[in-house]
Amino acid sequence: QVQLVESGGGSVQSGGSLRLSCAASGLTYSRYCMGWFRQAPGKGREGVAVIDRGGVAMYADPVKGRFTISRDNAKNTLDLQMNSLKPEDTAMYYCAAALVGSWCGVRPENLFGYWGQGTQVTVSS
């Protein structure tokens, strides 16, 4: 049974930092494209960043230069370091896993077959 468990969310003031973590189990983690997605109240879910099996990362434009995604294939963990946070970063953040050959991207998100329950990030101005 695949499980993705996020942690590290919380409340922070604008300009602050948070580090999210995702612990994965029940899958051959090193084979998967891993990603972070987010959903703000009243909005659709959007991709934030993904990282492929080899550690190559891709970011959505709104977070480029501020967020860093990383993975540890030995520990089956995925992290998202978020710096210079803005109120518009407020959302529920989800960890997700996809196994579609060598593909790895933020879209289409329906290729991500496994999802965590999410962790809330709130940024106040």
Side-chain angles (χ1 to χ4, degrees), residues 18-78:
L18 282 174
R19 188 176 184 88
L20 306 183
S21 294
C22 172
S25 60
L27 74 171
T28 307
Y29 180 77
S30 62
R31 297 180 59 196
Y32 281 73
C33 166
M34 298 299 298
W36 286 100
F37 294 78
R38 66 186 181 186
Q39 186 166 19
K43 295 187 177 181
R45 190 164 56 192
E46 64 172 352
V48 174
V50 296
I51 186 166
D52 71 10
R53 297 176 293 185
V56 176
M58 290 165 275
Y59 299 92
D61 286 343
V63 307
K64 281 181 181 176
R66 300 188 297 122
F67 290 11
T68 302
I69 189 172
S70 60
R71 67 188 296 165
D72 187 329
N73 288 342
K75 296 181 179 179
N76 288 10
T77 56
L78 178 74

